[in-house]
Amino acid sequence: MAEIAVSFALDKLLPLIIDEANLLRGIPGEFEDIQKELEYIQGSLESADRRAAEEGDNTNKGIKTWVKDLREASFRIEDVIDEYMIYVEQQPQDRGCATSLRKVIHFIKTLMHRHRLASEIQQINSFVRGIKQRGMDYHFLIHPSPEQGPSSYRGSQSVQWHDPRLRSRYLEEAQVVGIEGPRDELIGWLVQGPAERNVISVVGMGGLGKTTLVSSVFNNQKVIAHFDYHAWITVSQSYIVERLLRDLLKKLCKEKRVDPPQGISEMDRDSLIDEVRNYLQQKRYVVIFDDVWSVELWGQIENAMLDNKIGSRILITTRMDGVVDSCKNSPSDKVHVLKPLTQEESMELFCKKAFQCHNNGRCPDDLKKISTDFVEKCNGLPLAIVAIAGLLSGKEKTLFEWEKIRRSLSSEMGKNPHLIGITKILGFSYDDLPYYLKSCLLYFGIYPEDYEVNSKRLIWQWIAEGFVKDEEGKTLEDIAQQYLTELIGRSLVQVSSFSIDGKAKSCRVHDLLHDMILRKFKDLSFCQHISKEDESMSSGMIRRLSISIYSNDLIRSTKSSHTRSLLVFADEEDALTNNFVQRIPTKYRLLKVLDFQDGPLSFVPKNWGNLAHLKYLNLRNSAMPTQFPKFIGKLQNLETLEIRNANVCWAMPKEICKLRKLRHLLGGWFMTLFQLKNGLRGMTSLQTLRHVYLTMDDDDDGVELIRNLGKLKQLRNLSLTGVKEEQGSALCSSINEMTNLEKLRIYSNGDEVIDLAVISSLPMLRKLWLEGKLKKFPEWVPQLRSLVQLSLIDSKLADDPLKSLQNMPHLLFLEMRNSYEGESLYFQDGWFQQLRELSLHYLLNLKSIVIDKGALHSLEKLLFYRIPELKTVPAGIQHLEKLEVLHICIMSTEFKECIAPDGGPEHPIIQHVPLVKIDGRTVRHSRH
């Protein structure tokens, strides 16, 4: 983890050295000296960092201290660079009119500040040189050999452990739970299907049982009988292609009952490939490549895997979606995404292991509640269930003894022989991450356990922290989204909810991975939790504080001058004192992230304007004062301001125009910007602007403000409320300037007409909400070729809009709410081929819906809400073969009676829908 800190420090040093500004003579040269020392150390740091992390309590104290010193030196470098940058930004421009006395006073202040900065930099430089020398003296600075590779070192552990994946290859099926369905599917893919060789991938997070499942398939008699040759190759993180090919060749020779070819140990890659292909001629084979991490592997071995057109198969297991994608070259290739065990399966597996020699494998009544607690902690992860149950199987079967184990479970994970395998298996995925993704993953630990984090919130925090690096042609937000997608693809982050276009809307990490992250916090100084569950203090500099309960003693004891992020999750009972809130700028003056979302914040002191480094401020859902403070104009580095649903006056102070770096401004439904006038046009970094209230007052019709919005050409997400008909022309002109727009929300004022007749192409627009009366359906909407989501609310159209929309190529979600006053809707054959969700609300005159066969081919979810004149189920609903959910809410009595599961005459035509919700009642059907 010191590698991460050093890399961040180097990333900050380089632009300073390149910068030609010489406001502080000699200081950039000092930075260059530090850079050279850090670059030398960085070359061998990964190995030392890994040793300190993996050997745990058994680590040589010298190397542990050395890594800690290096990490803290890097923190100090980052801090002093930020101080330097703020100092440079605050230098006044030479206007040539200052008095001599003012110049002298300014020079003295500048000299004092310059001297302090220079002194601090020199101290750091000396400290880094000392770290380098100690690293050389004690042989910590040893560059790993090429043969060893970055992932091959595992260290000597303080607790001996045995890799549970080895044993999982030889488990009897009676010892395994929940694999019957996946096993049978995989066997079918292996022995049936095309004659061409294809690749079958099994993907899922570490500990889900991929090896166990595939071993059950590999050893199945049907599979053994179907194939001539069978080979199992374990790949892992560090591998050598030639070694894998030799291993495969030896196993093929063993199957053929012949000796390996002479000179096999000296063969190069091409010779080995030729030999393997020769042995596979005219033989139907199955080869397992277990535990694949590299996206390059398939490209390296594919030529050896001869496609002999007789039904040969390759089966791989991996944690990474990228590996799966790299292996998919044919439509016949298959992917099985392994899911966690259900609660019932988890309990069955737990009892099999915990009570294998007790009570005939059944859980005693007095231990059922605590057994459920253990099982829920595992969240369906078989590795964890087996490990924890194995530990409990050797303990006395009393509630007292089990409760002691439950309370100490997290601390035991890293040292108990029964449990250390969980930490190791999960840790491999962490170790495999590049340094920039390690910080992003660790950030999930700042949030409380089981917390579902909004993806946007997380991404904006990563950017504020400096985790996200520039790439040409991409926004930082796009790059951060790539980071999140990669963590999901590596099976480290779980998606809690998806947006309609498949992006992660909210996400979390597995409880046991969260525990592993918290254990790393204590060694890495990444974050200090202040909560009921954790009252211990980490040693060294604390970079981030996560506060779930106010503790004056703990907060006082933190080395606050180096804290860069403060996130508060306390509720009303654990509210922070006003004194603490007032002291934030003096105690945590280097803050970049300040997050009080849903927190008990009763006031915002004026001195928060002194947080010159602040980049992210979140006060959403907080009980703020009625007037938003004017100090906001002093936060010149602010990038994100989130104040939705905060109790503030919606007139933003004109000082906010000074925030030229602001990228995301999210206000409440009635946030007004009239007072900004022409100042708004200078906020050209804005990408998100929600929600701007446009209803005019006596002195301002809002047109000038709307025209200034057109200057914000980087906008990607815009929400406007209180729109009036007479503003339509100006609004069209401004929206036409926003060629990067991806989301647009337009809400009218009461019964006002939305007049947006002349909007040209918006090539990037993906989501559109129009709430207000439309005289006619806008002709430009069907031309939005990238649109995936459309909501029409209170449109009150006389003509059916479906014909205009039916051929939109990417439309996935359509909502019609009080948007159509006709009596019928007709979905014709071929219409809406991509639509997945259709939501129909408040269509007060609608009497019939007809769905042709071939229409709505991809529809998965259908919702009817308050359509009083619709008495029967839509004709043709039985054609919706992919429909998963039918939701019926507050419909007519006749409608509900005709589809009632207990005798409704039209119920049979919806029995193909797995889930039907009728008001509060849920009906489930099995799909045949």
Side-chain angles (χ1 to χ4, degrees):
M1 184 62 188
E3 178 196 7
I4 301 174
V6 170
S7 297
F8 281 166
L10 285 171
D11 287 343
K12 286 205 162 194
L13 281 166
L14 191 57
L16 279 181
I17 295 162
I18 296 172
D19 187 6
E20 295 179 358
N22 58 1
L23 280 165
L24 300 178
R25 292 183 182 88
I27 287 184
E30 293 282 355
F31 283 143
E32 188 169 5
D33 291 342
I34 296 173
Q35 183 202 19
K36 289 177 180 177
E37 301 293 347
L38 289 180
E39 283 177 342
Y40 180 87
I41 293 170
Q42 190 182 34
S44 59
L45 182 57
E46 183 178 355
S47 176
D49 218 2
R50 190 183 299 279
R51 282 176 62 189
E54 292 207 7
E55 292 186 10
D57 295 336
N58 202 40
T59 307
N60 177 290
K61 287 186 177 180
I63 192 170
K64 214 169 186 179
T65 302
W66 182 78
V67 169
K68 177 175 176 287
D69 287 346
L70 184 56
R71 182 172 59 246
E72 295 198 350
S74 301
F75 290 162
R76 289 175 62 188
I77 291 167
E78 189 182 355
D79 291 347
V80 77
I81 289 171
D82 280 342
E83 292 272 27
Y84 172 77
M85 294 305 297
I86 292 296
Y87 179 77
V88 169
E89 290 173 5
Q90 291 175 345
Q91 296 309 299
Q93 299 296 318
D94 185 8
R95 298 182 177 85
C97 59
T99 65
S100 298
L101 179 59
R102 286 173 61 192
K103 286 184 177 180
V104 169
I105 293 171
H106 176 70
F107 176 77
I108 293 171
K109 288 182 178 179
T110 299
L111 193 64
M112 292 171 62
H113 198 85
R114 182 189 305 170
H115 179 74
R116 186 181 66 78
L117 274 175
S119 176
E120 173 70 9
I121 293 164
Q122 288 168 358
Q123 288 179 28
I124 294 171
N125 203 341
S126 175
F127 189 47
V128 170
R129 286 197 188 103
I131 292 171
K132 175 186 171 185
Q133 188 60 51
R134 288 197 301 279
M136 296 172 68
D137 292 344
Y138 295 101
H139 307 292
F140 302 149
L141 287 174
I142 301 173
H143 290 257
S145 65
E147 294 81 11
Q148 186 181 23
S151 303
S152 60
Y153 180 77
R154 293 284 170 227
S156 58
Q157 286 74 36
S158 56
V159 179
Q160 292 296 315
W161 79 291
H162 301 285
D163 192 337
R165 295 172 298 180
L166 301 177
R167 182 172 176 269
S168 65
R169 280 196 57 192
Y170 307 103
L171 289 174
E172 298 291 334
E173 288 205 7
Q175 300 175 271
V176 183
V177 170
I179 69 166
E180 296 81 4
R183 178 200 61 202
D184 294 344
E185 181 179 65
L186 291 176
I187 290 172
W189 289 349
L190 286 176
V191 302
Q192 299 167 11
E196 291 78 19
R197 179 217 66 203
N198 66 1
V199 180
I200 299 167
S201 302
V202 177
V203 61
M205 75 175 290
L208 265 183
K210 298 181 294 295
T211 301
T212 301
L213 169 62
V214 172
S215 177
S216 172
V217 171
F218 185 71
N219 294 321
N220 183 272
Q221 289 302 314
K222 187 184 293 187
V223 172
I224 293 172
H226 184 75
F227 293 97
D228 301 311
Y229 286 166
H230 317 76
W232 182 292
I233 306 296
T234 301
V235 181
S236 298
Q237 287 168 291
S238 56
Y239 68 90
I240 297 172
V241 176
E242 290 78 8
R243 189 177 296 167
L244 295 181
L245 291 172
R246 286 190 191 99
D247 189 19
L248 175 57
L249 187 52
K250 289 175 182 177
K251 290 181 177 179
L252 293 176
C253 291
K254 187 176 180 180
E255 290 266 312
K256 198 174 181 180
R257 298 183 179 179
V258 298
D259 293 331
Q262 290 187 346
I264 186 174
S265 58
E266 285 77 37
M267 287 182 183
D268 61 16
R269 186 181 301 184
D270 289 341
S271 299
L272 289 165
I273 288 174
D274 289 341
E275 287 289 344
V276 171
R277 288 176 65 90
N278 184 51
Y279 274 83
L280 296 179
Q281 294 284 350
Q282 306 303 315
K283 296 293 184 182
R284 183 188 295 132
Y285 63 87
V286 57
V287 178
I288 312 294
F289 289 100
D290 185 35
D291 197 24
V292 178
W293 293 75
S294 172
V295 296
E296 298 174 357
L297 176 74
W298 180 241
Q300 293 164 337
I301 63 171
E302 182 179 9
N303 288 337
M305 301 293 99
L306 178 69
D307 186 359
N308 47 26
K309 308 297 183 185
I310 53 175
S312 295
R313 302 286 183 259
I314 308 296
L315 201 158
I316 71 161
T317 71
T318 183
R319 308 181 186 197
M320 303 168 70
D321 288 346
V323 170
V324 174
D325 293 339
S326 71
C327 297
K328 288 174 67 176
N329 297 327
S330 165
S332 63
D333 292 340
K334 302 288 188 180
V335 180
H336 179 86
V337 180
L338 193 57
K339 303 293 185 184
L341 298 180
T342 64
Q343 178 71 12
E344 294 75 20
E345 291 168 340
S346 298
M347 197 67 183
E348 181 185 350
L349 181 59
F350 178 86
C351 292
K352 273 190 175 185
K353 188 71 176 177
F355 305 108
Q356 57 187 328
C357 302
H358 180 84
N359 202 33
N360 293 321
R362 295 193 302 272
C363 180
D365 290 343
D366 61 326
L367 295 179
K368 283 185 177 178
K369 173 63 172 64
I370 196 168
S371 294
T372 300
D373 292 342
F374 280 119
V375 166
E376 288 178 349
K377 178 73 173 177
C378 298
N379 274 342
L381 199 66
L383 170 73
I385 296 168
V386 169
I388 293 172
L391 171 65
L392 294 168
S393 68
K395 300 294 183 180
E396 187 178 346
K397 304 300 184 289
T398 65
L399 184 59
F400 175 78
E401 188 67 27
W402 281 34
E403 179 61 26
K404 286 198 300 182
I405 294 170
R406 189 189 67 81
R407 294 186 180 190
S408 63
L409 193 61
S410 293
S411 63
E412 290 290 315
M413 285 290 183
K415 57 188 178 182
N416 190 293
H418 288 277
L419 305 179
I420 196 169
I422 303 174
T423 301
K424 292 294 179 182
I425 295 296
L426 296 177
F428 290 160
S429 291
Y430 173 81
D431 293 340
D432 191 63
L433 292 173
Y435 82 87
Y436 59 88
L437 285 183
K438 286 182 177 177
S439 297
C440 294
L441 179 64
L442 290 173
Y443 217 78
F444 280 91
I446 297 177
Y447 289 87
E449 188 174 81
D450 293 325
Y451 196 102
E452 293 188 1
V453 190
N454 178 273
S455 298
K456 285 282 191 284
R457 180 182 181 186
L458 186 70
I459 281 171
W460 294 339
Q461 288 170 344
W462 286 351
I463 292 171
E465 291 273 5
F467 297 165
V468 184
K469 306 306 174 190
D470 275 315
E471 293 182 24
E472 189 175 354
K474 299 178 182 178
T475 66
L476 291 175
E477 288 75 11
D478 289 339
I479 299 164
Q481 182 64 55
Q482 290 175 200
Y483 290 2
L484 180 58
T485 300
E486 186 170 352
L487 288 173
I488 294 167
R490 287 171 173 263
S491 303
L492 285 165
V493 171
Q494 301 171 342
V495 180
S496 306
S497 63
F498 290 93
S499 60
I500 189 62
D501 53 354
K503 291 183 179 179
K505 194 172 182 180
S506 62
C507 46
R508 63 187 295 273
V509 293
H510 192 284
D511 286 355
L512 295 173
L513 187 58
H514 192 273
D515 286 347
M516 185 197 79
I517 290 171
L518 295 188
R519 287 194 296 277
K520 289 186 177 294
F521 279 2
K522 295 186 183 296
D523 291 330
L524 305 178
S525 302
F526 191 87
C527 178
Q528 171 67 52
H529 272 270
I530 298 177
S531 64
K532 294 176 182 177
E533 293 77 22
D534 188 356
E535 297 185 357
S536 60
M537 282 301 303
S538 300
S539 59
M541 298 179 183
I542 302 300
R543 291 311 254 180
R544 295 161 192 88
L545 273 179
S546 175
I547 302 175
S548 297
I549 182 173
Y550 184 75
S551 170
N552 200 38
D553 292 338
L554 277 178
I555 293 176
R556 190 186 300 121
S557 63
T558 59
K559 294 183 179 180
S560 51
S561 62
H562 298 282
T563 301
R564 309 309 294 267
S565 298
L566 177 63
L567 288 85
V568 178
F569 302 98
D571 54 27
E572 290 292 339
E573 295 179 358
D574 298 315
L576 302 179
T577 65
N578 287 350
N579 181 52
F580 174 79
V581 173
Q582 182 80 38
R583 291 173 56 212
I584 285 175
T586 52
K587 192 172 177 64
Y588 308 105
R589 60 188 177 84
L590 295 177
L591 279 182
K592 290 184 177 181
V593 172
L594 182 55
D595 191 324
F596 271 86
Q597 180 166 324
D598 303 314
L601 184 66
S602 58
F603 81 114
V604 178
K606 292 181 180 179
N607 67 353
W608 277 21
N610 297 328
L611 293 169
H613 302 272
L614 198 65
K615 294 188 175 185
Y616 176 93
L617 177 59
N618 185 350
L619 305 176
R620 185 176 184 178
N621 301 330
S622 60
M624 280 180 53
T626 56
Q627 183 66 45
F628 198 85
K630 294 183 179 181
F631 75 71
I632 191 70
K634 297 173 66 177
L635 304 179
Q636 305 254 325
N637 286 291
L638 198 66
E639 296 172 346
T640 299
L641 177 60
E642 165 66 282
I643 53 172
R644 282 179 292 179
N645 301 329
N647 183 30
V648 297
C649 175
W650 302 123
M652 294 299 291
K654 64 179 183 297
E655 286 79 6
I656 200 171
C657 290
K658 299 176 183 178
L659 307 184
R660 299 305 172 93
K661 297 180 181 179
L662 193 67
R663 303 164 76 92
H664 308 286
L665 173 57
L666 299 97
W669 280 96
F670 302 104
M671 179 178 70
T672 62
L673 301 178
F674 290 104
Q675 59 281 9
L676 272 59
K677 303 276 182 201
N678 291 330
L680 185 64
R681 68 173 62 194
M683 301 177 71
T684 54
S685 296
L686 274 175
Q687 296 181 23
T688 304
L689 185 55
R690 294 177 58 187
H691 305 269
V692 181
Y693 190 58
L694 293 181
T695 295
M696 55 195 134
D697 56 27
D698 294 337
D699 302 319
D700 197 329
D701 61 5
V703 171
E704 183 182 359
L705 173 63
I706 292 169
R707 286 175 179 157
N708 281 321
L709 287 174
K711 307 296 183 183
L712 307 179
K713 299 184 186 300
Q714 296 303 314
L715 273 180
R716 284 159 171 75
N717 187 343
L718 175 64
S719 176
L720 303 173
T721 66
V723 176
K724 302 199 79 172
E725 183 175 5
E726 53 264 42
Q727 297 169 333
S729 177
L731 192 53
C732 286
S733 297
S734 287
I735 291 174
N736 284 333
E737 297 293 320
M738 302 174 189
T739 56
N740 291 305
L741 208 57
E742 297 176 9
K743 296 180 183 178
L744 177 62
R745 298 170 175 85
I746 303 291
Y747 302 96
S748 72
N749 187 31
D751 292 329
E752 286 281 342
V753 170
I754 296 178
D755 182 14
L756 297 176
V758 192
I759 288 185
S760 59
S761 174
L762 294 172
M764 306 300 289
L765 195 67
R766 294 178 60 77
K767 298 184 180 182
L768 175 64
W769 291 258
L770 296 176
E771 181 171 335
K773 189 173 182 180
L774 297 172
K775 290 182 178 178
K776 67 174 186 175
F777 190 71
E779 294 179 1
W780 53 271
V781 173
Q783 307 306 314
L784 299 171
R785 311 311 287 174
S786 298
L787 201 70
V788 298
Q789 180 171 332
L790 175 62
S791 290
L792 300 172
I793 302 169
D794 295 333
S795 311
K796 300 179 181 178
L797 292 165
D799 296 327
D800 181 356
L802 294 183
K803 188 172 183 180
S804 299
L805 298 171
Q806 53 90 14
N807 202 32
M808 297 189 73
H810 301 293
L811 191 63
L812 303 175
F813 175 93
L814 175 61
E815 177 184 21
M816 296 174 62
R817 183 184 303 183
N818 192 24
S819 57
Y820 173 55
E821 296 185 330
E823 296 185 354
S824 65
L825 287 175
Y826 180 21
F827 295 88
Q828 298 182 34
D829 180 15
W831 285 18
F832 297 100
Q833 289 297 289
Q834 302 302 320
L835 199 70
R836 294 181 193 165
E837 292 190 28
L838 176 62
S839 186
L840 304 176
H841 302 241
Y842 290 106
L843 304 180
L844 303 182
N845 299 324
L846 190 67
K847 295 181 177 179
S848 73
I849 300 174
V850 177
I851 303 171
D852 279 350
K853 187 173 184 179
L856 300 169
H857 171 73
S858 303
L859 198 68
E860 298 172 356
K861 186 174 181 179
L862 178 59
L863 169 65
F864 298 125
Y865 184 90
R866 283 191 185 273
I867 309 178
E869 298 300 316
L870 190 64
K871 309 297 184 182
T872 61
V873 71
I877 194 172
Q878 68 272 18
H879 302 316
L880 304 179
E881 297 178 354
K882 295 183 180 179
L883 193 62
E884 295 285 338
V885 178
L886 175 60
H887 196 172
I888 296 154
C889 192
I890 316 182
M891 297 290 285
S892 67
T893 301
E894 295 92 331
F895 187 97
K896 288 185 283 189
E897 286 179 349
C898 81
I899 61 164
D902 47 357
E906 297 186 17
H907 184 77
I909 67 171
I910 63 168
Q911 284 187 317
H912 67 293
V913 184
L915 182 62
V916 179
K917 295 182 178 181
I918 306 173
D919 292 331
R921 185 179 182 184
T922 297
V923 181
R924 298 185 185 275
H925 302 123
S926 59
R927 175 169 282 172
H928 301 294

